[in-house]
Amino acid sequence: MKTWQATVLVCASLVCLSACNNQTTSENGDKQAQVSSQTAKKGEEVPNFELTGVDGKTYRLSDYKGKKVYLKFWASWCSICLASLPDTDQLAKEAGDDFVILTVVSPGQKGEQAEGDFQKWYQGLDYKNLPVLLDSSGKLLASYGVRSYPTQAFIDKEGKLVKTQPGFMDKETILENLKTMN
């Protein structure tokens, strides 16, 4: 590769990264400032939520009191999220009396497509066990301080936040985290 081609490639990459960073800041800067005092904190009870799933059912966190909850925030444009959906679907299938798997998408937030477009897109996928909750207002997203996708939240049987973790997490690590929670 010639020097000028490498220079152009590096400059283009930096421009793209800068644009992505600026977009995230401008989309979220004001909203995060308004909800920062409401962000879920480790060891504290998380607020209840009520969201509709792509399946049309209503999901309330309070319905899962007494179970451990794995809450995964993801987006349709996130390649890491999409690559991990088969494992998340399998975990949801394996969930029993001890834990539940819930996933959250926020249509119209952080670059996610509109709700109708997301639902149409999601219907083309073949996940049979995966509850996908729709947080169109972005309030749940903000209350967990989600800044990147995927982000996981682990909630214990008493409804207290054990931890949140951004980035990829494999199936075995998720199960290990669930096992170590009360």
Side-chain angles (χ1 to χ4, degrees):
M1 182 183 284
K2 295 183 180 180
T3 305
W4 70 270
Q5 289 172 320
T7 303
V8 168
L9 184 61
V10 168
C11 289
S13 297
L14 289 174
V15 167
C16 286
L17 287 173
S18 177
C20 290
N21 189 34
N22 288 339
Q23 180 181 7
T24 302
T25 302
S26 64
E27 283 180 1
N28 301 326
D30 294 336
K31 290 181 184 177
Q32 287 179 349
Q34 293 172 3
V35 295
S36 63
S37 63
Q38 299 172 358
T39 302
K41 293 185 174 126
K42 184 178 175 181
E44 292 183 8
E45 190 169 333
V46 295
N48 189 34
F49 61 77
E50 181 176 310
L51 296 173
T52 302
V54 294
D55 57 7
K57 295 179 185 175
T58 299
Y59 293 84
R60 293 173 196 84
L61 183 61
S62 59
D63 291 344
Y64 304 105
K65 196 106 180 184
K67 285 188 174 191
K68 302 169 191 176
V69 177
Y70 170 68
L71 194 59
K72 179 178 184 170
F73 296 90
W74 64 282
S76 64
W77 52 261
C78 169
S79 59
I80 295 170
C81 302
L82 297 177
S84 64
L85 284 181
D87 280 349
T88 309
D89 186 57
Q90 186 62 36
L91 279 170
K93 183 179 181 180
E94 295 170 3
D97 294 335
D98 193 42
F99 68 89
V100 65
I101 306 295
L102 300 173
T103 70
V104 178
V105 172
S106 296
Q109 307 292 321
K110 294 187 180 276
E112 182 57 74
Q113 54 194 317
E115 187 171 328
D117 294 333
F118 175 82
Q119 287 188 340
K120 185 176 179 181
W121 171 83
Y122 188 76
Q123 287 174 355
L125 304 180
D126 191 33
Y127 298 111
K128 306 264 188 264
N129 309 295
L130 190 62
V132 179
L133 289 56
L134 301 170
D135 174 32
S136 296
S137 71
K139 288 181 182 177
L140 190 64
L141 193 71
S143 72
Y144 282 84
V146 175
R147 295 182 182 177
S148 63
Y149 294 113
T151 292
Q152 290 78 210
F154 292 88
I155 302 165
D156 69 15
K157 291 180 178 184
E158 296 172 2
K160 294 180 181 175
L161 182 64
V162 175
K163 78 176 192 174
T164 57
Q165 180 172 325
F168 173 76
M169 187 178 279
D170 64 29
K171 183 179 171 184
E172 292 75 27
T173 305
I174 294 166
L175 287 171
E176 187 59 37
N177 274 277
L178 288 166
K179 283 180 189 176
T180 60
M181 293 168 39
N182 66 357

